Structures are given as C-alpha cells and as structure tokens.
C-alpha cells in the first residue's frame, strides 16, 4: 500500500478522503433560447421571437454546475474551442465552484458547440452544432484526476462521439478504482439506441433516463416492460416522468415518487437538474426514494427560470425553494 509523506507525518493513501464527490467528463456549450416562435416555421420569412436568453447549456455542464451549487465537490473535464462561446460557458460554470483545472481549451479543429432552443409550451425544437463536444476522446481523459472521486457521472452519450471508442474499458478502470457510475444517455439524434450503450450498460450502477428514452433503449412500447428488460442489466433505474415525478426501480422493487406542481418558465435542463438533486442526496447517504424526491424538487426549481442553471444561480430563489420543499 502506498503512503504519502507530507514532511511531518506519513499516512496511507487509502485513508485519505477523495478530492471530489463527483467527477464528470463531458460536453459544454451555451444554450441560445428564443421564446414565442411558431412551432411550424415557414422558410424565407422574418419570424420574430418574443424573448431571448443565453444560458449555460449541455447536459454534462448543467449537472456539474447544479451539483456544485448544491454543495458537492465537483471535478469537470471538457473541451472548448478558442472562441468567445467557450470562454463564456466556462465563466458561467466557474461561478458555481466546479473545478476546471483539467479543461482542454483551444485544441482540435472545431469551435465550441452551441444549442438553439425554441420552446413551444411543453415541447421544444432543439438545434445543436456539436463542435468540440464530439472531439474529446478517452485518451484525452486524466485518469488520476477522474478517479480522485467517489462517483463518476456521464451524460449525452450519443453527442460525445469521440468518447465512444474505448469507453467501456475506461469505465471498467473507474469501477476498479472504487467509483460508482451513473449515466443519462439523453437523446440519440440517430434514434438507433444501440452501439456503445450496449457495451457499457452492464457497467452502470444508476441509469437516469426519461420515460421516452427508457422505452427507446429497451425497444418496447411501455415503461413497465422497459424497466423489466433494462433492469436485468442495471441495478438501479430512476425514470424521470416530468411533473408527475419519478419512478425508482431497485432490483425487483419499484416505487413512484410524486412530483411538484409549479408554473414553469421553461423545462430546459429540468432533467439534468433532477440528476443533480438525486446524486447530491444519494451521495450524502439518502435512500433512493429520498434522493428521487430531492431530484423532483431540484428539477422543479430549474423550471422557474430560463435554461437549466439560472434558477440555481439565483441564490435567494434556490435557497428559499429548497427550504420550502424540505431539501
């Protein structure tokens, strides 16, 4: 067993607390949100939005930001281009206290990715330029940094195309180092739901899909049947069901956790904010059902401002809402 000598005392490395609660390797970009546009948009017409916001975007960065806002120690590895979009996105993320010492800036051939969102009530158009989010590879990931944690979270599996080769072996190394692993695939733009997911699913401790994502992963028509199929490979599945709450499956046990009733500004990033709340509670020792209840609260909080992080940036709103709902 290795020892660390600080000049005065010698301690076993195994007795040291991990540097982070959670490490994340993922994408970062800005979300450009235009409100009030028609759902059916004719070409060659000047269509006027009623409002506009730019916020920190991308599932991975939103989860990292909101976890840090909830008081967890978070290490984040990402890649940005040598452009103003990347600088702005990193500045927003840094505000939350996320560690950014291993950000890769200015490499590769692409600019920082960007997503344009057009909300239409409960639905929205999502238009994404991948840019650098598709370039980072497993070979770029600092293993010692990422394993100095208790838990590893992965989002946007199908957008992070550069990470896919070798991802299974990378996750095995994380598990060998003692980390637990959570996964939110997010959408598959190709709508195939296979490939690398089949390689890594057995390595995942907690899967955090939406209802529609789980159904597509399993290739069936109902959430109940999808839980049966995917549950043979993943021990814990937490299904995000929007305003109706969440379904938690732990082995053969299944429970519905009711959601909160709020009047949303938009639902952008609500699922990622659920992930942050769930993981923050779970890693503090809460039961799965209590962690899901916390996720429902943080997911609802996210909808009270534009994008996935603005409600968390508002300290008064965040603290008041969490306190009112017992978090």
């Amino acid at each position: 067993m290795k020892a660390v000598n600080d000049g005065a005392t010698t301690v076993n490395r195994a007795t040291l607390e991990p540097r982070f609660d959670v490490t994340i390797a993922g994408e970062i970009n800005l979300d450009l949100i235009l409100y009030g546009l028609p759902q059916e948009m004719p070409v060659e017409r000047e269509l006027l939005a009623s409002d506009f916001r730019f916020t920190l975007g991308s599932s991975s960065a939103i989860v990292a930001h909101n976890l840090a806002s909830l008081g967890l120690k978070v290490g984040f590895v990402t890649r940005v281009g040598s452009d103003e979009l990347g600088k702005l996105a990193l500045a927003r993320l840094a505000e939350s206290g996320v560690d950014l010492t291993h950000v890769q800036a200015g490499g590769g051939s692409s600019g920082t990715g960007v997503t344009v969102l057009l909300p239409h009530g409960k639905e929205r158009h999502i238009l994404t330029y991948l840019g650098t989010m598709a370039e980072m590879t497993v070979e770029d990931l600092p293993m010692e940094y990422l394993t100095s944690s208790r838990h590893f979270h992965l989002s946007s599996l199908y957008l992070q195309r550069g990470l896919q080769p070798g991802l299974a072996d990378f996750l095995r190394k994380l598990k060998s180092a003692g980390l637990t692993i959570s996964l939110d695939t997010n959408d598959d733009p190709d709508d195939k739901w296979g490939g690398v997911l089949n390689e890594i699913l057995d390595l995942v401790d907690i899967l955090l899909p939406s209802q529609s994502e789980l159904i597509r992963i399993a290739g069936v028509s109902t959430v109940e049947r999808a839980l049966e199929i995917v549950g043979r490979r993943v021990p814990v599945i937490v299904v995000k069901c929007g305003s109706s709450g969440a379904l938690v499956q732990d082995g053969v046990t299944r429970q519905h956790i009711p959601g909160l009733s709020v009047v949303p500004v938009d639902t952008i990033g609500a699922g990622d904010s659920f992930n942050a709340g769930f993981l923050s509670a779970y890693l503090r020792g809460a039961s799965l059902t209590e962690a899901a209840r916390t996720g429902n609260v943080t997911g609802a909080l996210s909808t009270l401002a534009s994008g996935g992080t603005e409600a968390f940036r508002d300290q008064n709103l965040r603290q008041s809402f969490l306190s009112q709902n017992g978090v």
Side-chain angles (χ1 to χ4, degrees), residues 26-27 78-82 104-113 129-141 159-165:
E27 82 291 7
T78 192
R79 173 175 287 192
V80 295
S82 54
Q104 303 161 19
S109 59
S110 302
T112 306
Y129 162 64
L130 288 176
T132 52
M133 69 178 77
E135 289 187 345
M136 191 167 64
T137 69
V138 166
E139 288 73 24
D140 297 322
L141 301 183
L159 299 186
Q160 299 198 71
R161 297 176 177 179
L163 276 186
Q164 293 179 20

Side-chain angles (χ1 to χ4, degrees), residues 2-110:
K2 286 190 175 181
V4 178
N5 192 330
D6 63 4
T9 58
T10 301
V11 294
N12 289 327
R13 189 176 295 277
T15 67
L16 296 176
E17 285 293 319
R19 178 180 176 186
F20 300 111
D21 298 304
V22 182
T23 46
I24 298 172
E27 82 291 7
I28 187 170
N29 63 269
L30 292 178
D31 281 349
L32 310 182
I33 310 170
L34 287 85
Y35 296 95
L37 289 169
Q39 192 158 355
E40 299 295 328
M41 294 181 290
V43 298
E44 296 296 335
R45 295 294 310 277
E46 188 88 27
L47 304 176
L48 302 182
S50 61
D51 200 1
F52 168 77
R53 294 286 188 274
F54 82 86
T55 69
L56 178 64
S58 73
S59 180
S60 297
I62 291 172
V63 173
H65 178 284
N66 294 350
L67 276 169
S69 298
L70 294 169
L72 269 67
K73 297 176 291 184
V74 183
F76 190 65
V77 177
T78 192
R79 173 175 287 192
V80 295
S82 54
D83 49 50
E84 293 303 313
L85 287 179
K87 293 175 184 177
L88 285 169
L90 288 175
R92 283 291 178 92
L93 185 54
E95 289 178 1
S96 67
V98 172
D99 184 85
L100 299 177
T101 56
H102 282 69
V103 167
Q104 303 161 19
S109 59
S110 302

Side-chain angles (χ1 to χ4, degrees), residues 306-321:
S306 297
T309 60
E310 294 304 303
F312 288 79
R313 293 181 73 213
D314 186 333
Q315 184 174 349
N316 291 332
L317 172 62
R318 183 183 75 235
Q319 292 180 345
S320 173
F321 189 82

Side-chain angles (χ1 to χ4, degrees), residues 150-151 180 206 236 277-288 291:
R150 296 191 288 139
H151 184 84
T180 48
I206 303 171
V236 175
F278 176 90
L279 291 173
S280 69
Y282 177 76
L283 291 170
R284 288 183 170 113
S287 67
L288 291 172

Side-chain angles (χ1 to χ4, degrees), residues 268-281:
I268 295 166
D272 304 317
S273 300
F274 176 99
N275 294 347
F278 176 90
L279 291 173
S280 69

